[in-house]
Amino acid sequence: VFLKSEHVMEAVCSTPVITFSSNLDTLLGGGIVPGEIIEFLGEPGSGTSQLCLQLAVDCTIPKTFGGRNCRSLLVDCNGDTCEIRLNQMAEAALAHLNLIARNKEEKDTMSRLTTREMLSNVHSVRCTDYTQLLALINNISEECDYGAVLIDALATHFRHEFDDMRQRTNILAELSNKLHRLCIKHNVTLVTVNQVRMDREGGVQPCLGESWSHTAHRRVFLRRVSGDVYSATVMKGERSGETANFRISSRGIRDCLPQTT
């Protein structure tokens, strides 16, 4: 049995998952850390699903480059996970790592790393209703070998499947507890996607009610600004109220291009 010191374990387990946008990573405090539940929310087309795909790929970045080098699980509640898009992002990530490889260790790593190997560590599972979602969380809570779990979009199965709102509240509370236990027990990076609704004043509010709002340690609202430019605003947690812009390109999540005069 090999034992690691607490200091080493902390260093390994605290490595954040980056987004490939330095602006967005700075807003998130350097990326998304293990043991944290972060919720992204927004209207359709706001970039939430694209961000989940990017994070799933970025989990596989080797430790040589400061990455997590872990497996990720994409939980697809909408039925629209795009394998072609995942492949595009993995190819772009691989090309970027090849570009920045400088020392022998980094170059040796890149001589062995392929897009296929990166994607072999990205797993996707479809959940067609909330019972499947609960069963999945139960299963991986017992024995989890994923460094990150990304649920897109969790709200899908709780907005229209319930006539009894008390039952929905109880099930959401149960799910919230299970997600927290998963984070604590396995030190998982956990990302959920929520949807939004219009309130009586015409504003945008997160779905799933007040009780669910306490589940995530951080909530980040995404919206499309124009063209391929998007914004992220922290609604809850550190840097609350701050905003950062990013871009969704053919390569994935990236920083906005410098403006030309």
Side-chain angles (χ1 to χ4, degrees):
V1 178
F2 295 90
L3 299 178
K4 297 183 179 180
S5 69
E6 291 183 2
H7 176 74
V8 173
M9 286 295 289
E10 183 178 355
V12 172
C13 296
S14 63
T15 304
V17 180
I18 62 169
T19 66
F20 268 113
S21 165
S22 58
N23 291 338
L24 188 52
D25 287 336
T26 299
L27 182 73
L28 299 174
I32 304 175
V33 298
E36 175 187 58
I37 300 176
I38 184 167
E39 180 177 86
F40 293 103
L41 57 143
E43 298 177 289
S46 61
T48 53
S49 294
Q50 294 289 311
L51 185 53
C52 280
L53 294 176
Q54 184 70 66
L55 291 169
V57 169
D58 294 351
C59 286
T60 70
I61 293 175
K63 292 179 180 179
T64 312
F65 293 91
R68 288 285 301 279
N69 192 34
C70 65
R71 301 169 74 218
S72 59
L73 176 65
L74 270 171
V75 183
D76 180 9
C77 297
N78 294 322
D80 56 6
T81 294
C82 182
E83 300 294 335
I84 295 176
R85 186 63 171 139
L86 269 174
N87 192 74
Q88 287 177 335
M89 290 180 172
E91 287 180 346
L94 189 68
H96 178 75
L97 295 177
N98 269 310
L99 186 65
I100 65 174
R102 292 290 183 266
N103 58 47
K104 184 177 185 302
E105 184 181 9
E106 291 173 347
K107 291 179 179 179
D108 286 347
T109 298
M110 294 313 300
S111 68
R112 299 185 300 270
L113 188 63
T114 64
T115 301
R116 183 175 181 178
E117 181 181 345
M118 292 180 73
L119 291 177
S120 70
N121 289 310
V122 179
H123 293 199
S124 177
V125 60
R126 174 82 168 102
C127 287
T128 59
D129 57 40
Y130 75 89
T131 58
Q132 289 186 359
L133 178 59
L134 287 172
L136 174 66
I137 299 301
N138 278 335
N139 289 337
I140 61 177
S141 292
E142 293 302 317
E143 187 174 347
C144 182
D145 59 353
Y146 297 105
V149 177
L150 308 101
I151 308 175
D152 181 23
L154 184 144
T156 300
H157 300 317
F158 293 94
R159 292 192 66 185
H160 308 295
E161 293 186 19
F162 291 88
D163 295 322
D164 186 342
M165 288 290 93
R166 180 177 297 180
Q167 181 193 23
R168 189 187 83 158
T169 299
N170 291 338
I171 292 175
L172 282 172
E174 178 187 354
L175 177 59
S176 177
N177 289 333
K178 291 179 186 297
L179 295 179
H180 277 279
R181 284 198 297 269
L182 176 62
C183 274
I184 294 170
K185 183 177 180 180
H186 300 288
N187 204 37
V188 169
T189 296
L190 210 155
V191 177
T192 65
V193 171
N194 197 354
Q195 299 163 345
V196 295
R197 59 177 179 80
M198 300 294 291
D199 60 25
R200 294 179 180 178
E201 288 72 36
V204 175
Q205 296 294 330
C207 293
L208 303 183
E210 176 66 23
S211 60
W212 179 258
S213 68
H214 303 294
T215 299
H217 300 99
R218 286 190 285 176
R219 296 183 110 178
V220 181
F221 177 71
L222 304 185
R223 71 178 183 90
R224 186 175 185 179
V225 178
S226 64
D228 63 356
V229 177
Y230 296 74
S231 73
T233 302
V234 179
M235 299 178 64
K236 175 187 176 183
E238 189 178 351
R239 297 178 181 266
S240 181
E242 295 186 25
T243 297
N245 286 350
F246 62 97
R247 186 166 57 98
I248 301 180
S249 72
S250 59
R251 296 179 299 162
I253 306 296
R254 295 293 187 272
D255 277 327
C256 293
L257 296 174
Q259 292 185 346
T260 57
T261 57

